[in-house]
Amino acid sequence: MIIKKYYIKPIEEYGKKYISERPEYMLSQDIYKHSSQAFIVVDDEWNTVFHNSAFDIMCDINDDTATFSIKDLLKTHSVLRDIKENLSLSKSWGGALDLISLKGRVFPARLSITASSPLETDTVFFIIHIVDITTSIQRNNHIEYLMNYDPATSLPNQLSFSHHLDSLQDRLKEGAIDGYVVAIYRIVGFSRLCDLYGKESIYSILAEMGLNIGNYIGEKSIACLGNHEVAAAFTYYDMDELIHKLVKIGKIISSEYEIKNGTLSSDYCCGYYTVNGIEENTVSTNKAMLALHNSTHENNTRITAFSDTMMEDADSHERLRAILKLAVDQMAFEIVYQPQNSIHDNSLVGVEALLRWKQDDGTYISPAIFVPLLEKMGVIYEVGLWVLRESCLQGKQWLDEGIPPFNIAVNVSAMQLLNENFPRDILETLSKTHFPPQLLELELTESCMIEDPSAAEDLMCDLAAIGVKVAIDDFGTGYSSLAYLERFSTMDKLKIDKAFVDMICTGKESAITNAIISMAKSLNLKAIAEGVENEEQLLYLKQHGCDQIQGYLISKPLSAVEMARFACLNNKEHPKVAVI
């Protein structure tokens, strides 16, 4: 900015006598001069008559006697005409403008201009109050950024995605497009990847994925909805192009990314919904999410389209969820007990406590349906603890009735295993129910042990210290579990999954069954086969050294009363067990 010097003599022009007669003007000038706020006064030609030190600092001015035109401050001169027009109608004006300092620094400022005619003359002066709003704008920009972008990945967030869907809806209403698709991708095993490589590394990869997808379909077309879900919305010409784009995005997600001196490739699932009419954003997103829930990374069904039956299933699911919540509040469940017999003499050695949920019409809902729902609702720990307590109470009652002792096996979920209070709750349950610890057996699934091996190992050590047994349930199903066995040195039993037992007589999986039995023997563990239903299976298991069996060949799951009767008929005399 070039400052043009003028030598305006307002005091001589209006006369010293007027100033002396009106001392308030001298006082006002002194107040403005020493104010921490930036002020300038200009005449009707918009040349400066006065500027204080705060203004000099703001505009990088070293000469406090310099005068200049207001135009020298404005980045855009045309706005001055509009300001003059407004001031001709009103004695004040306010607004935000970009100003230029003496050093050429452009900064945003808010101006408040007030017209004044001092000393009772016709001459008009303009008092201009200037506030640098750079910090305020930066703060607002930061707030807007946090509102619209995911802080971990810097990708657009759900709010930003909603704005993008609004724009697509507007184009659809105008007839500019025929439709668009909303797709949601889930990174499989995201939490486990974070545990293995650290959240910072995985979020960095997620950010790179997002940028690559944004480069493909447009940066505003993608959003990070959560830790492991990425949403995309875009237009397409026909179904072939749509599927091509969906698959391409999937390939971007499953590509190899550099991480810690190596590469990482992740799998994905995708659900999508095509929008061809006026529809709320939440509706289209929820439908895509429903499709995602029906998608799986297995069997090449990674990408799943929404269908109306999914909505019907979702409605049914919500009704079931509401009923289940009431059942949890009242613990309106039942426990049945399935006997476990020795394969050598057919004597009763234990029972497995199984949770059942009976409806008002007398029918039962399968545990395969309601147990995962309990996990999603976050109440599986409470229900699991209830099963443990009720089973121990029942076991103590059987002992008090003089029934020879046998083990009671109770299933443990991953949420129980990972809860730091679980060992304490087991001790408290045993103490309150007075059930002998050596008769309690906890069944841990192989999958939950692999999810957090350290937590599983710690729990096993705690249980061994008090005499509680541990069995590994569903052993060998889908995981390379053999490497973990030696780590869990305090376990007592391996349970052969029913899927392998069913195939014994077909010859398909006999090798796996034999390997599990042999492995149990080498580690001094007992092997128990579940789902044994015929004599042929029993004979095979007995020939190959299996220790115990469970299944309909022995008995179906029984009520507590039926179980007591079964125990009296089938249980041989056991050593006395101390009752605490």
Side-chain angles (χ1 to χ4, degrees), residues 322-339:
I323 298 171
L324 183 56
K325 185 179 183 305
L326 291 175
V328 172
D329 291 341
Q330 303 169 7
M331 285 301 170
F333 300 102
E334 298 176 2
I335 300 176
V336 293
Y337 304 88
Q338 187 165 35

Side-chain angles (χ1 to χ4, degrees), residues 343-357:
I343 203 168
H344 306 294
D345 59 11
N346 202 35
S347 62
L348 179 68
V349 293
V351 297
E352 181 181 3
L354 300 169
L355 185 64
R356 295 291 183 264
W357 183 24

Side-chain angles (χ1 to χ4, degrees), residues 3-54:
I3 294 182
K4 302 173 183 177
K5 289 196 175 184
Y6 300 86
Y7 295 95
I8 301 173
K9 301 179 180 179
I11 294 179
E12 286 80 1
E13 185 175 340
Y14 300 116
K16 292 183 180 180
K17 67 185 185 73
Y18 292 103
I19 295 294
S20 61
E21 291 173 0
R22 305 294 296 272
E24 64 268 23
Y25 288 109
M26 294 296 292
L27 179 61
S28 297
Q29 186 178 14
D30 196 52
I31 291 173
Y32 284 129
K33 180 178 180 180
H34 295 95
S35 174
S36 61
Q37 301 290 313
F39 284 96
I40 62 173
V41 179
V42 299
D43 59 20
D44 53 4
E45 295 296 326
W46 294 93
N47 297 317
T48 58
V49 173
F50 166 81
H51 48 93
N52 67 358
S53 57

Side-chain angles (χ1 to χ4, degrees), residues 5 55 167 219 380:
K5 289 196 175 184
F55 172 80
S167 67
E219 60 179 337
I380 191 66

Side-chain angles (χ1 to χ4, degrees), residues 143 230 309 324 359 421 486:
I143 292 172
V230 175
T309 56
L324 183 56
Q359 303 302 289
N421 296 323
E486 293 185 356

Side-chain angles (χ1 to χ4, degrees), residues 178-243:
D178 295 326
Y180 57 93
V181 64
V182 178
I184 301 177
Y185 291 79
R186 174 175 294 156
I187 298 173
V188 176
F190 183 86
S191 297
R192 186 166 178 269
L193 291 174
C194 288
D195 292 339
L196 289 173
Y197 300 103
K199 284 187 176 180
E200 186 176 344
S201 297
I202 300 303
Y203 282 136
S204 177
I205 289 178
L206 186 57
E208 188 176 351
M209 286 179 186
L211 288 175
N212 292 341
I213 297 171
N215 290 335
Y216 176 54
I217 60 172
E219 60 179 337
K220 292 184 179 180
S221 302
I222 183 175
C224 181
L225 300 187
N227 287 341
H228 58 301
E229 289 171 356
V230 175
F234 51 88
T235 58
Y236 60 94
Y237 296 112
D238 53 34
M239 287 304 296
D240 288 340
E241 186 197 21
L242 170 60
I243 298 301

Side-chain angles (χ1 to χ4, degrees), residues 1 28 63 67 79 126-127 161 189 196 312 386 408 516 555 577:
M1 177 179 70
S28 297
D63 185 358
T67 60
V79 297
F126 298 101
I127 303 170
F161 190 64
L196 289 173
E312 295 171 4
W386 178 83
I408 297 181
I516 295 174
S555 172
V577 177

